[in-house]
Every structure is written in structure tokens, then in C-alpha cells.
Amino acid sequence: MSSRRRPYWRTLGTPTSLALYRTPDGWRYVVHFTGPARIADGALAGPPPS
């Protein structure tokens, strides 16, 4: 049976900005939202080389 989970962007609100930045450990991102959660961030797993 498949689950009926809502996509995370519907619970966080509308994205307003996105930032991608490099750290010594790898690439990270942050997304700012208009909703109650305001910020989501994390790391990218294995992005392609530039």
C-alpha cells in the first residue's frame, strides 16, 4: 500500500530564496520559505564535479 504523504514544500510554504554554498566538507544549501517553517537546509550528497 502506498503512503499519501504530502510534499514538504506544501507544508513549508512558498520558497522565496535559495542559496548554494561550498564548505570544506562539501556543498550545502538553504531555502527560505514564507510559511511557518521559514528555513530548510541540508547537504548535497555527491554532486557532479564542476
Side-chain angles (χ1 to χ4, degrees):
M1 177 183 274
S2 65
S3 66
R4 290 264 183 186
R5 292 176 27 193
R6 291 177 53 181
Y8 70 89
W9 59 85
R10 290 190 182 167
T11 59
L12 294 177
T14 304
T16 58
S17 64
L18 168 72
L20 178 66
Y21 56 98
R22 186 176 177 114
T23 64
D25 298 331
W27 288 95
R28 299 197 53 87
Y29 66 90
V30 63
V31 182
H32 296 264
F33 293 94
T34 58
R38 303 280 183 189
I39 297 174
D41 65 343
L44 297 177
S50 59

